[in-house]
Every structure is written in C-alpha cells, then in structure tokens.
Amino acid sequence: MTDTTKTPTPENTAPATTAPRGPLPLPTAAARALLLAGGLATLASTFLAWTWTSEFPGDLTVYGYPGGLQWLTFTAGLLTTLFTLASYQVRGLRWLLPAGNNTPLLLTAVGAFGVTWFTILAIAIELGGLVNLEPGGWIAAVASLLPLLGALALPPATATSGTGSTGGTKETIKAYVAKPEHIPAAQPLNGWAQRLIITAVTALGLAVFTYGIDTEYGELFIGYLIVVVFAVWALHTAGLLDRFSRLVAANRGFTLAMGFAAAIAFPFTQTDDHYANIGVNILIFGTVALGLNIVVGLAGLLDLGYVAFLGVGAYTAALVSGSEFSKFSGVQFPFWAAALTGMAASLVFGVLIGAPTLRLRGDYLAIVTLGFGEIFRIAVNNMDGQSGPDVTNGPNGIPSIPDLKLFGFNFGNPHDLGGFTLGRFANYYLLMVLIMAIVVLVYTRAADSRIGRSWIAIREDETAATAMGINGFRVKLIAFALGASLAGLAGTVSAHVTYSVVPTPYQFAGSTPPNSAFLLAAVVLGGMGTVAGPLLGAALLYLLPEKLDFLQDKSLLAFGIALILLMRFRPEGIIANRRRQLEFHETGQLDIPDTPTLTGEPAVTTKAGA
Amino acid sequence: MTTMTTPVLQASGVTMRFGGLTAVRSVDFTVNTGEIVGLIGPNGAGKTTFFNCLTGLYVPTEGTVTYKGTVLPPKPHLVTKAGIARTFQNIRLFANMTVLENVLVGRHTRTKEGLWSALLRGPGFRKAEKASEERAMELLDFVGLAAKRDHLARNLPYGEQRKLEIARALASEPGLLLLDEPTAGMNPQETRATEELVFAIRDKGIAVLVIEHDMRFIFNLCDRVAVLVQGEKLVEGTSDVVQADERVVAAYLGEPFEGDPGTAETADVAAAETGAAPQSSTTSTKGEAQ
C-alpha cells in the first residue's frame, strides 16, 4: 500500500502480531478487494433486469439502464465504491476520508445492502415469491452483500483508539459507527472555491430533497430513506459534514442566500402541481415549527397547544377573506392587511393565554397550554350560532376562501415564467418562501441579541436569570407572543392554500400534521434551538404519512417508536445545537475541576435556599 | 481605611416570619460604601433568609430594607436593577451558555435593546452590543477569564465557575455585591485568590457583603462582621470584637458546663479555635479575662 504520509491506516501503525481485525476473519487486503469488487458489481447489477414483470412499480424489467429503486441501489453502490477507492488512497478521492476511518465504508455498504435487499424482498412479497426474480435480481443481492462482508472484516475504529476491541458487543458496535474524535482540518480554500462547494452542495441537497418529494410510490420512498439516512450518516462519520459546517460558518450569509435560492428553485423543478402542494404544506408546517422553536427551543416553555395560534391566524384570514360563508362576507382585506390582522389576532390570543399561564413553570405550563389549545378548537366548533355566537360556522368551517391577489397577481391561476409554468400551489409556495425568510430572519436576529440571551438564561436557570435583573414574566411573555404571531402569519396563508378552514386540524394530536404534538415532535426531532432542525423535522413528519400511506392509522405508533429511539440515541435531535450536544454527550473529564478541592466536600453544595 | 460612612444598604427592624416560625427577628444592619462586611452564624441561623430579604426574594414581614435611601422593591429583578447584585451558594451559572454570554446576561439591566431593535438591527443596536461586549470583556479580564470567553460555563473548573459568577454579578454595575459562601468547596490557594478578588472589587468602590463559614477568610477580609444566631443579631463589630465575644463562641461550640467554667473547657475551645482562626488564642484569653 502506498500510504505513508498523513493518514495512518490501522495495519501500518499496529504491530503485526496484534493487527486489529473486524469480526470476520479476512486479511485486510482481501476485505478491501471485496468492498471494491462488490461495489462495482452492485453498480453493474442495476443495469440488469431484476424482475420479469412491470407490475412491480418502477419497471425493473429493463436491461441496459437502471430504473426506479435500481437508481437508489446505484447511488448507494457508487458511494460505497467511491469511499473504497478513497481508502485505497486513490488520487483525487482522498478528501472523502479525511480521518482515514473505515466507518463510512461500512455505513455505505449497509445502505447499499439495505436498499437492494429491501427491493428484492419487496418484489418477492408483492409479486408472490422469489420466482419473480430475474437473474439480475440474484446478482444484485449477492453483489450488495459482498461489500458488507468486506466492511465487517475491516478493523472497526481508527488505529488511535486503544480502548478496544476486547469489549462487549455494545462497544464493538459503538466503535463501528462512531465518528473519530479528531478530524484533520481541511486545506484552506480561497473564497470562490468555498462558495463553489457551498453552491454545489446546495444544488445536490435540492436534488435529493426534490427526489424525495417526487417519489411516486411508498417502496421508492422507503428505499430513498434507507439510502439517504446511511449516506448522510457515512458522510457524518467521515467528517465531511463537520468540514462543510465549518465552511458554512465562514460563509454564513452566502449559505443562507443559497438556501433560499434553492427553496425558490424547487417549484421550477416540478411539472406536477401536486408536489408543489406538498412543498407549500411542508413550508407552512416548518414555519410554524420554527415559531414554536422560539417558545420551546429558546425560552424553554413547553407549549402543547401551539397549533391554536395557527388556527387563530387561519380563521382570522378566512373571516376577512371575502368568502361568502364568512360572518363578515362583505369584508375583503388585501393580503397584507389580512396577514397583519391574523398576526395581531394571534398575538392578542397569545398574550391572553400567556399572561395567566406563564407564571407557572415546567409541567404545569405544559398542561395549561394543552388545555387552552383544546379550548380554542372546541370554542371554534361551537361558535355556529346554536351552541354559541355565530362566528365560525362550527364544524362546517368557512369554505370557498377566494385566492389571494397581490398587485394584480392572482395566486389561483397558473403563470408562465421563463418557460416554466407555475401552478396555483407553486405560487403559494413562493409566497411561503418569502414568509419563511421573514420568520428565519426574526428567529436568528432575536436569538442573537439581548432578548435572545435572556430567553436562554431563563431556560437555563430562571432563579439565576431573575437575580441578574431579567424580568422573567415579561421576557417569557414576549417569547410567547412572538411565537404566536409568527404562527398566525403562517395561518393566514394556510387558510388560502386549503380553500377552507375547519376546526379539526387544530387539535392536540392527530395522524396528520399540523397538530400540536406533531409540531413539537418536528422541533424535537429536528433539533431544538436550531433553524434547520425544525424545518427538517417538519419535512420528515409531513412526508412520512404522505408517502407511506400503507401505514394509515399505524403511523402514530410508528412515530412514537421512532421518537423513543431517537431520544435514546440522539437526544439533541437530528441537527444538533452546539449547546445541546454538549449537554447530552458530556465527555466526562471536561466537567471535573482541574484543581481538586482539599476539603473533600462535593464541589457543589446543595443547601436549600436562595 | 478611609472614613466613608454613607450607608449603601440599611436594614432596620427586619423580621421574617413563616407562619409560626420567626426566621429573622428585628435585625438592624448597615453596609457603608467601601466596606466589606461579613455575616456569619451557625447553620440555620437565618443568614440565607436574611439574604433573601435583601435581594427581594422575600418581602420582610416587618421592617424595611433601603438601598442608598430608597426602599427596595419586592422583586429580585428590580433589586438587581436598583444596584444590588448577588452570587449563589450553590453555583448557578447558565451552564450551557459561553463564558462571555453569561456576563452579557449580567448586563441585562444596564442595556435596554428590546425585541424591535434586535429585529431591525439599527446602528444603535450594534453600538450597544459592541459596548456591552467590551464591558463584559473588561470584567472577564478583571477576574482572569478573558482567555476562556468562548468556553461553555459548564466546562470551567470549579474555582473559575465561582469567578465567572462574580464577573456576571459585577456586570450589572452594582453598588453592593452580595456573596453567598464564595469559598465553599475551595482549596486554600483558591480561597486566597478569592480574597484578593474581593479586595479588588472593594477598591472599585463596590461595597461587599459576604456570608461565609470559613472564619479565617471572614476575619482576614471584613471590616465589620455581624453574627446572626437563631434569627437575631448577636454581635456586630470588627473581627477582634466578634472573636472576643463569648456568646459567639458559645453559639458555634456550645455553652460551657454550668458552674464549671474550668480551664479544661477553655483550653478545648482554644484548641478548637486555633484550627479555625490564627488569632484565636487571644480570643480565649480575653474570654477568660471577662
């Protein structure tokens, strides 16, 4: 092997007698060869037919080019091959493995194996037996197994970890999927190269995200999830995500601009307005989740009735929309006025709920907000003119809300723009991107300021924060009101997107978003206290029930299990806030004082008082 | 010591009752500018309750507390705003904020940028943020933590967490600093360093009130010491006066056997005191003389 310079591979640092090995007894060279051969074979197998009939969705019957799920196998196989070549120190690919560890090889191999075998099994189960597989399918199954075997024969961690292969299975697994502690810093790039990389990654991200939204059947979406999860995990353990986040930190403004450019570009990649509809709903859901993130993530106020503010905004917009079923059917506000009215109504509602409840702490606040959230839905249900005053039309809601018009631009009609046709939902999507931009701006600016610091201080220790001169009640009320008005703003658009408002979506828990439980889950799942986290969480939580329609009423059970697993293994959420990451994964030694105390008393006395 | 005798803090007849229990009984207490005053007493004597009356956590049942002539408002955040800052007995930093952010939170009462200015980010906002940061860095320099500005507070060693808590309290530009057992759990070197720090704070013109169990620390540091026993102020005066008072000795070590104040017991007391304070031999002889 030619590597003697900067990335020590296990076999040349450890003495030959105790060369570290994986669970499978294979020489390292053979293991790598197996990885490479298997990766290439997997790539090749996607050009074969896997089944004889096109009854299985995606048409896997064609020789000569991949189709449907085969593309996903192809992608995963390509990643495995690239990482293997990088571990061979092939020129031009070394940057893929900065730390020289084997974990990315294993993870991509598992991804390729997972998606291929999932496809094979799906074919066998749906078409009724393994006879439905063409030779190509068998080849793919064997080919995707080879890299996995090869990766398991490689030593788990990098050579530096002395703790050991002698531990139990738990330690072995941990060593396999762990990210190395030290990732060598990248070579400095000039500004243009950095921007080029960010642009390329954003484009790639848009492509991956668009593919996910456009998946036409459940099998494809599951395969997509398998590949994306393992690919991202592999990139994470390779240290590439760390390097990229360093680039992002150096070019914050540019990345934000690129992110919004990608968000704007999304409807132009769509031919079917249905997917733009999914996009606009994800954006509404994500915007509300980001608003909730101010309340929960920054100020630490557990609000279980947050969806009510979305409802207030939506109902307010519906009432002043000029719908003939509205109580004020003669009134038709222009959009800016309707948006401001919706925000103001939510704000007032937020202050009304917040003023009495924010004196409570922790669990009590959660229960009371849950109660108020339900009060909103039930009140709206009853204001039908029989049980109560006639305002909201009760369970029938307010239908036939007219489309928005802004500067003569009717959101309901398709528009041609530079050769692309933007349908109704695409129009609303672009409007929501604008609103999202406002909310992101509000979130980032508020978080990094005197008021944002006092929110975090309140979350950390309310007594100490008060002793520092922070008026806890006032500051919490501001967070509550701000969160409420942002949700109200999103609600005003959502009323127009869905044509009608009815009370049912604004409940505590249901099987489809938005509801308070899903909103909170999106924030927690994505990563509290971050901007990207709740957006990612919202996208996932919206897409999963949308795409996996076979889950139906079991989707809540699936989410429950997924959330429990996530909280067990990654409590800080998918995208981790730096603070939270340190909170949940203490290294241990950082928290022991350097100078031991002589008295032998515990470092922190816990006498009551103060 | 210069003879500045303007009172910063004046507590007169402060009584705190919880139902039938009187935790603090008509305590008169004064802290003057440029003074370091100690408050000692055995466990359960009501020191922390009295402290909480000063910081607005409790509203005294009777009596008033005035700061520079104005009666203190009954809310902790208003007390801080008025100019009394405090630290906590068990360190209460914002553990997941950086060192700098902790001090910036301390600046809360001395800045007034609200939500709107944070959202609009006008020139005033930037100027205020910059000034706040400069001031916070000065304070970190003062306590010797400037190099650790971006560390999370939770990752600081124990002694530095104490220092950071003091820096955070100083950030509110107080006229009076209340330290609740600042050397609890510290080794002698760290205690010595804290002593120097408190002197340096006094030299900035900030009066300091210290609750502490470390007698050597208290008697080295304080211009005046008040002793609280069972909610009542027993003695107040210079360290010599307090150490000479046999009631104080009795409160800490128990009464001598009645009718038998023999030399054996006084010797015991003296022996016990040498462990706590160097001057204790004089104390016991004075006690004998009385």
Side-chain angles (χ1 to χ4, degrees):
Chain A
M1 229 147 279
T2 58
D3 54 327
T4 48
T5 49
K6 64 167 189 174
T7 51
T9 47
E11 65 265 36
N12 59 17
T13 48
T17 46
T18 59
R21 278 204 184 155
L24 292 183
L26 270 181
T28 313
R32 289 203 179 174
L34 205 57
L35 265 162
L36 187 61
L40 291 173
T42 311
L43 287 182
S45 73
T46 58
F47 290 87
L48 306 173
W50 288 8
T51 180
W52 61 274
T53 166
S54 55
E55 265 177 49
F56 187 79
D59 195 7
L60 309 182
T61 61
V62 188
Y63 283 91
Y65 57 89
L69 277 157
Q70 285 173 333
W71 273 115
L72 294 169
T73 299
F74 183 83
T75 312
L78 187 65
L79 278 172
T80 315
T81 313
L82 287 178
F83 272 119
T84 312
L85 288 175
S87 81
Y88 270 124
Q89 304 282 316
V90 171
R91 225 165 249 290
L93 287 175
R94 280 185 209 168
W95 59 272
L96 275 173
L97 280 176
N101 54 339
N102 292 322
T103 315
L105 301 183
L106 176 70
L107 289 172
T108 45
V110 172
F113 170 78
V115 70
T116 311
W117 281 60
F118 165 75
T119 312
I120 304 293
L121 291 178
I123 291 171
I125 290 168
E126 282 177 36
L127 302 182
L130 290 168
V131 287
N132 294 297
L133 288 178
E134 287 281 296
W138 293 105
I139 292 173
V142 175
S144 66
L145 185 61
L146 295 180
L148 184 63
L149 297 177
L152 283 175
L154 288 174
T158 41
T160 47
S161 78
T163 47
S165 44
T166 50
T169 26
K170 200 173 164 193
E171 273 69 33
T172 317
I173 294 172
K174 259 192 190 162
Y176 259 112
V177 297
K179 190 176 74 134
E181 302 221 333
H182 177 70
I183 289 155
Q187 297 193 349
L189 295 162
N190 69 33
W192 285 108
Q194 291 187 6
R195 283 176 201 175
L196 197 67
I197 291 174
I198 291 173
T199 313
V201 172
T202 321
L204 185 68
L206 175 68
V208 170
F209 188 70
T210 310
Y211 186 90
I213 287 189
D214 291 1
T215 50
E216 283 163 6
Y217 41 99
E219 292 87 347
L220 193 60
F221 189 72
I222 292 179
Y224 166 81
L225 279 185
I226 294 174
V227 173
V228 167
V229 165
F230 280 101
V232 170
W233 197 358
L235 292 175
H236 170 72
T237 55
L240 292 175
L241 290 191
D242 278 18
R243 281 192 170 182
F244 182 67
S245 60
R246 253 173 255 158
L247 272 188
V248 167
N251 302 278
R252 197 157 277 285
F254 182 74
T255 313
L256 208 60
M258 284 314 296
F260 277 109
I264 290 170
F266 169 73
F268 295 97
T269 65
Q270 300 303 313
T271 45
D272 189 342
D273 214 26
H274 171 64
Y275 296 123
N277 184 15
I278 295 180
V280 72
N281 280 316
I282 289 178
L283 276 187
I284 291 171
F285 188 34
T287 307
V288 184
L290 203 53
L292 179 62
N293 198 18
I294 293 179
V295 181
V296 177
L298 289 182
L301 309 168
L302 186 53
D303 186 349
L304 295 181
Y306 192 70
V307 81
F309 300 125
L310 179 73
V312 172
Y315 264 97
T316 312
L319 284 173
V320 299
S321 67
S323 158
E324 55 188 305
F325 298 97
S326 156
K327 172 93 173 148
F328 316 105
S329 53
V331 185
Q332 183 166 15
F333 281 18
F335 176 65
W336 62 268
L340 285 181
T341 319
M343 278 176 84
S346 282
L347 183 94
V348 170
F349 194 66
V351 170
L352 281 182
I353 290 179
T357 56
L358 287 175
R359 296 168 199 281
L360 303 171
R361 289 192 192 184
D363 310 347
Y364 305 102
L365 178 71
I367 295 298
V368 172
T369 50
L370 170 63
F372 269 107
E374 287 297 288
I375 286 174
F376 167 77
R377 182 175 59 87
I378 294 165
V380 161
N381 229 335
N382 285 330
M383 288 200 268
D384 56 358
Q386 291 161 4
S387 319
D390 181 16
V391 184
T392 61
N393 254 350
N396 296 326
I398 302 171
S400 65
I401 298 169
D403 277 308
L404 285 176
K405 283 198 192 70
L406 213 56
F407 307 118
F409 181 91
N410 189 330
F411 280 79
N413 301 332
H415 293 267
D416 285 329
L417 202 68
F420 295 97
T421 305
L422 294 179
R424 175 177 185 273
F425 289 116
N427 296 332
Y428 281 113
Y429 175 90
L430 291 175
L431 179 66
M432 268 319 290
V433 169
L434 181 72
I435 286 174
M436 168 82 86
I438 293 170
V439 174
V440 168
L441 199 72
V442 166
Y443 181 87
T444 50
R445 289 195 158 183
D448 176 31
S449 72
R450 175 175 172 264
I451 189 93
R453 283 191 297 270
S454 47
W455 285 334
I456 299 171
I458 290 271
R459 188 191 72 200
E460 293 279 313
D461 186 335
E462 190 162 347
T463 309
T466 319
M468 289 305 112
I470 294 170
N471 184 345
F473 176 69
R474 189 185 141 84
V475 166
K476 285 194 282 184
L477 193 60
I478 290 175
F480 213 69
L482 180 66
S485 49
L486 292 181
L489 178 62
T492 54
V493 180
S494 92
H496 289 277
V497 171
T498 53
Y499 296 107
S500 67
V501 287
V502 284
T504 40
Y506 308 110
Q507 57 193 354
F508 170 64
S511 55
T512 51
N515 55 62
S516 294
F518 265 58
L519 281 169
L520 196 64
V523 174
V524 174
L525 183 86
M528 256 190 243
T530 60
V531 175
L535 301 183
L536 178 68
L540 268 179
L541 284 187
Y542 190 86
L543 280 180
L544 285 175
E546 175 82 21
K547 296 291 181 188
L548 306 180
D549 41 7
F550 61 87
L551 277 177
Q552 289 169 1
D553 50 347
K554 290 176 208 71
S555 65
L556 273 181
L557 177 71
F559 284 148
I561 293 170
L563 263 180
I564 289 171
L565 289 178
L566 190 83
M567 287 303 104
R568 168 64 187 81
F569 293 106
R570 199 173 162 83
E572 67 271 32
I574 296 171
I575 295 175
N577 180 308
R578 189 175 50 107
R579 286 183 220 285
R580 299 230 153 224
Q581 188 143 37
L582 287 162
E583 194 177 327
F584 287 116
H585 299 280
E586 292 174 19
T587 50
Q589 48 186 337
L590 281 173
D591 293 300
I592 298 170
D594 291 340
T595 48
T597 53
L598 280 182
T599 50
E601 287 172 14
V604 179
T605 54
T606 50
K607 187 177 157 185
Chain B
M1 212 32 359
T2 48
T3 52
M4 290 186 293
T5 48
T6 343
V8 181
L9 180 85
Q10 216 163 10
S12 47
V14 169
T15 299
M16 187 73 217
R17 283 196 201 93
F18 299 103
L21 176 79
T22 310
V24 176
R25 185 171 293 130
S26 57
V27 172
D28 297 314
F29 189 68
T30 312
V31 181
N32 297 320
T33 46
E35 246 187 342
I36 302 175
V37 180
L39 184 65
I40 60 173
N43 285 329
K47 298 186 299 290
T48 301
T49 308
F50 183 63
F51 224 60
N52 287 343
C53 289
L54 301 185
T55 53
L57 273 173
Y58 298 153
V59 185
T61 324
E62 283 164 30
T64 51
V65 185
T66 58
Y67 174 77
K68 288 184 175 169
T70 49
V71 177
L72 279 183
K75 283 268 161 49
H77 65 93
L78 296 177
V79 169
T80 312
K81 195 168 183 182
I84 300 181
R86 69 169 298 178
T87 66
F88 292 87
Q89 189 175 17
N90 40 348
I91 300 177
R92 300 190 83 148
L93 287 170
F94 307 121
N96 295 309
M97 296 176 90
T98 65
V99 167
L100 180 66
E101 283 170 333
N102 264 279
V103 183
L104 285 175
V105 171
R107 298 273 312 151
H108 190 87
T109 49
R110 301 296 168 241
T111 45
K112 53 180 185 298
E113 280 64 45
L115 182 61
W116 285 114
S117 72
L119 296 185
L120 299 175
R121 301 257 147 152
F125 175 84
R126 287 166 209 276
K127 224 165 105 185
E129 283 283 287
K130 203 159 163 262
S132 265
E133 198 180 314
E134 273 168 17
R135 182 85 187 92
M137 283 313 291
E138 272 170 35
L139 283 169
L140 285 178
D141 227 18
F142 175 69
V143 298
L145 287 176
K148 297 204 165 182
R149 54 173 278 172
D150 291 326
H151 289 225
L152 286 195
R154 65 182 307 127
N155 294 338
L156 292 184
Y158 182 71
E160 293 185 349
Q161 292 197 357
R162 286 268 178 214
K163 282 184 189 169
L164 176 56
E165 220 189 2
I166 291 174
R168 186 181 69 176
L170 288 177
S172 64
E173 296 171 15
L176 172 67
L177 179 63
L178 309 180
L179 300 175
D180 198 347
E181 300 201 18
T183 68
M186 280 187 174
N187 65 26
Q189 286 89 347
E190 288 171 325
T191 308
R192 176 77 42 193
T194 309
E195 236 170 75
E196 297 303 319
L197 184 60
V198 175
F199 279 129
I201 291 167
R202 194 260 317 270
D203 292 344
K204 284 173 154 233
I206 298 168
V208 182
L209 170 61
V210 193
I211 291 185
E212 186 53 76
H213 280 302
D214 184 339
M215 292 302 152
R216 185 188 301 208
F217 176 77
I218 281 281
F219 292 131
N220 277 350
L221 194 70
C222 298
D223 303 317
R224 235 158 9 96
V225 178
V227 184
L228 215 59
V229 174
Q230 295 192 341
E232 288 181 88
K233 193 170 79 175
L234 208 58
V235 209
E236 187 181 340
T238 58
S239 15
D240 288 340
V241 173
V242 171
Q243 286 177 68
D245 196 298
E246 59 187 5
R247 286 175 299 169
V248 178
V249 178
Y252 269 92
L253 295 176
E255 298 278 351
F257 288 122
E258 210 159 298
D260 184 23
T263 46
E265 279 73 28
T266 19
D268 277 353
V269 171
E273 290 245 308
T274 34
Q279 305 98 320
S280 51
S281 56
T282 54
T283 316
S284 51
T285 45
K286 273 180 190 171
E288 255 175 342
Q290 278 177 351

